[in-house]
Amino acid sequence: MPTLTLKFGGTSVGSAEAVAQAVDIVAGIARNQRVLMICSAMGGVTNLLIEGAQTAAAGDGARYQAIAHMLRQKHEAAIRALVDSDVERIALHDEVEALVDEFETLCYGIYVLREASSKAMDKVSSLGERMCVPVVSARLRQCGVPSCSVSASRLVITDDQFQNAGVLFEETGAAVRRELLPLLDQGVVPVVTGFIGATRDGVVTTLGRGGSDYSAALLGAYVDSAEVWIWTDVDGVMTTDPRLAPDARVIPVLSYGEVGEMAYFGAKVLHAKTVQPLVERGIPVRVKNTFNPAAEGTLITREEHAAPGTVKAVTAIGDVSLVTVAGRGMIGVPGIAARTFSAVAKRQANVLMIAQSSSEQSICFVVPEAKSREVVAAIKAELETEFGRQDIDRAWADDDVEIITVVGVGMLRQSGVAARVFGALGEAGVNIIAIVHGASDYCVSMVVRADDTPRAVRAIHKLVVLNGDAAAR
Ligand code: ASP
Ligand code: MG
């Protein structure tokens, strides 16, 4: 019997009604398939946990206690509504209570020290998933589905880069097979915490915000799932953000490469690393709506479907900054780019796109806005000699920009797509500050003024994405 891995995000387990709905879906599928279930924390809980730790670190000794109270109420209400058996209720109550106590103890420590290390932040932010999965699993049992809850800290083994841990694949694969396969073989539905892992020594880590998609992909890959389904609160991956363009539509089929590019460039569809464990094995992903399960959703596969002259989506990413290093003396001097980027890397800033003018008089690249000041200072320090000789005149950051990315396979092979994108922007009166076309066959990215973003997205969506869609039919 094939195994399906089903992941439910925060809104899909955000209330007692949502959990009941999610469990109905799982129970239906578990009738004739082996099911592995992954859950996020109940919607909003991770944010509250983080807020509790941060306010404690800032010297507020009351806020985390108020949050602890809210966490108790939210989970207790879910337990009351979802589970009838007194024995189960008492066990769940104790489990949630112990975790909320742990939250308070941790926050008290943070409050006393006035410091929340990233290790402590992981310990705190992992609690939401751990509070949620026992409740979901108990509801499954109540619906007659054999189930148990499992903490991913025994399964997902990571390095110690807290808050964005790197997975140790071999050890994780071995642990997942050892712990989960026997359960699946017995017809039990394991309900596993998304988002969290642990180091070899058992110290809790997390995979970064939104990381439970990635958890599902990892676990799904190692139990050899037929497919991984990501259950969320929208009908699938959209052609653009519906808040920017109300005529946004669901994209029926996407390739791994396309969705990877979209996740990287701001579409809040899937955690950026999600498809990585699945690509090699060719395991398809489906994105589906918990609250509208009849909708087809989006299928993400290895196959690439390129309809001539079309692009699939347009996304925007804000909170970025364009850093430029410029100077006439840069011409023909080898190593400036390398030194610039090594200075950037030392500040742990992620470079989202790079462009160099062909005359070599400037290099510009995009980094997260929060890092822009630091990055510029680091570059000035690294290239001090060149500044002194006036080979380089300036290094500066422009925070008032956003990146717009047009996604669709075959971008490089099709002629005319870029022309249509630029035509749409011209018509909307949007000035393009920088362009990267060529780094990936899946996308063209442009830097525009932040103010221009909504107009630019709407114009590209209307004239290129939807228009192309109609032409392809
Ligand atoms: N609960 C975590 C978060 O809010 C992980 C997830 O939901 O994917 O980031
Ligand atoms: Mg998510």
Side-chain angles (χ1 to χ4, degrees):
M1 226 200 286
T3 301
L4 273 190
T5 297
L6 308 177
K7 178 254 164 176
F8 290 82
T11 35
S12 298
V13 290
S15 63
E17 300 80 65
V19 171
Q21 166 76 3
V23 164
D24 278 349
I25 290 172
V26 172
I29 296 173
R31 270 198 282 276
N32 44 28
Q33 316 235 27
R34 294 163 26 131
V35 174
L36 169 60
M37 185 176 184
I38 319 296
C39 289
S40 290
M42 293 182 83
V45 165
T46 310
N47 285 344
L48 283 173
L49 294 166
I50 291 172
E51 188 194 331
Q54 283 172 344
T55 48
D60 180 344
R63 180 64 186 153
Y64 74 82
Q65 295 182 25
I67 289 174
H69 180 67
M70 292 192 295
L71 294 173
R72 281 196 184 92
Q73 278 190 324
K74 191 171 174 86
H75 292 87
E76 289 299 335
I79 294 168
R80 272 197 306 279
L82 292 166
V83 182
D84 296 336
S85 140
D86 283 338
V87 180
E88 289 263 27
R89 276 193 185 185
I90 292 167
L92 289 172
H93 168 85
D94 289 350
E95 209 161 342
V96 167
E97 200 51 41
L99 291 164
V100 178
D101 284 350
E102 192 177 333
F103 168 71
E104 285 184 295
T105 309
L106 286 164
C107 287
Y108 179 68
I110 291 169
Y111 169 72
V112 171
L113 294 171
R114 295 288 194 274
E115 183 199 310
S117 66
S118 45
K119 189 173 178 179
M121 287 310 289
D122 269 359
K123 186 96 185 153
V124 171
S125 58
S126 72
L127 292 167
E129 272 71 7
R130 292 166 60 201
M131 290 175 198
C132 180
V133 295
V135 182
V136 174
S137 185
R139 174 70 182 187
L140 271 165
R141 289 193 293 275
Q142 162 146 329
C143 297
V145 181
S147 172
C148 65
S149 59
V150 181
S151 169
S153 57
R154 295 171 44 192
L155 307 175
V156 178
I157 316 298
T158 71
D159 61 19
D160 62 358
Q161 210 197 312
F162 294 102
Q163 299 192 286
N164 188 22
V167 173
L168 306 176
F169 297 107
E170 263 176 42
E171 284 151 75
T172 299
V176 167
R177 282 187 288 269
R178 187 182 61 234
E179 303 276 335
L180 295 184
L181 288 182
L183 294 171
L184 292 166
D185 287 341
Q186 289 160 36
V188 171
V189 175
V191 183
V192 184
T193 52
F195 184 46
I196 70 183
T199 63
R200 284 192 185 118
D201 308 330
V203 180
V204 175
T205 55
T206 68
L207 306 176
R209 292 308 305 272
S212 47
D213 298 333
Y214 184 37
S215 309
L218 286 164
L219 301 178
Y222 292 128
V223 300
D224 268 324
S225 282
E227 296 190 358
V228 173
W229 293 17
I230 306 285
W231 291 87
T232 177
D233 55 0
V234 290
D235 280 345
V237 181
M238 310 286 284
T239 49
T240 193
D241 183 344
R243 285 165 306 183
L244 286 179
D247 52 355
R249 297 186 199 163
V250 172
I251 307 172
V253 188
L254 276 173
S255 65
Y256 294 134
E258 290 168 324
V259 86
E261 221 53 72
M262 289 176 74
Y264 190 66
F265 284 111
K268 293 210 172 43
V269 268
L270 294 177
H271 183 275
K273 289 185 193 158
T274 307
V275 295
Q276 283 173 13
L278 304 172
V279 170
E280 207 176 294
R281 294 173 177 78
I283 299 174
V285 180
R286 262 175 225 279
V287 179
K288 292 199 42 103
N289 190 346
T290 307
F291 308 100
N292 183 18
E296 278 293 305
T298 298
L299 175 65
I300 302 161
T301 65
R302 183 166 16 204
E303 286 86 49
E304 317 223 289
H305 302 266
T310 68
V311 300
K312 299 218 170 77
V314 53
T315 70
I317 178 165
D319 298 329
V320 293
S321 181
L322 181 69
V323 176
T324 308
V325 181
R328 295 194 175 276
M330 285 168 70
I331 301 179
V333 181
I336 300 249
R339 283 166 54 209
T340 303
F341 289 113
S342 83
V344 176
K346 276 188 213 131
R347 303 258 85 73
Q348 313 255 329
N350 186 17
V351 176
L352 292 152
M353 58 184 266
I354 305 174
Q356 178 171 27
S357 74
S358 47
S359 66
E360 294 184 49
Q361 285 176 16
S362 71
I363 311 173
C364 62
F365 54 91
V366 178
V367 294
E369 193 172 314
K371 294 272 184 183
S372 69
R373 303 281 150 243
E374 260 185 80
V375 161
V376 169
I379 293 170
K380 286 187 172 155
E382 173 67 40
L383 300 175
E384 206 184 335
T385 327
E386 286 75 9
F387 271 97
R389 285 204 302 260
Q390 295 186 336
D391 286 346
I392 297 176
D393 312 321
R394 281 181 75 195
W396 75 96
D398 180 350
D399 290 343
D400 178 34
V401 298
E402 295 196 356
I403 300 177
I404 293 189
T405 300
V406 180
V407 180
V409 66
M411 206 66 90
L412 295 185
R413 285 170 266 145
Q414 303 173 35
S415 54
V417 173
R420 288 174 53 215
V421 170
F422 302 144
L425 291 180
E427 226 166 276
V430 173
N431 180 35
I432 304 170
I433 302 168
I435 304 172
V436 175
H437 178 197
S440 144
D441 190 27
Y442 303 108
C443 70
V444 179
S445 295
M446 290 146 289
V447 178
V448 300
R449 286 271 150 245
D451 283 352
D452 285 340
T453 305
R455 245 177 332 132
V457 167
R458 277 194 285 271
I460 295 172
H461 187 251
K462 175 158 163 257
L463 297 172
V464 189
V465 181
L466 293 188
N467 208 17
D469 208 15
R473 275 197 226 113

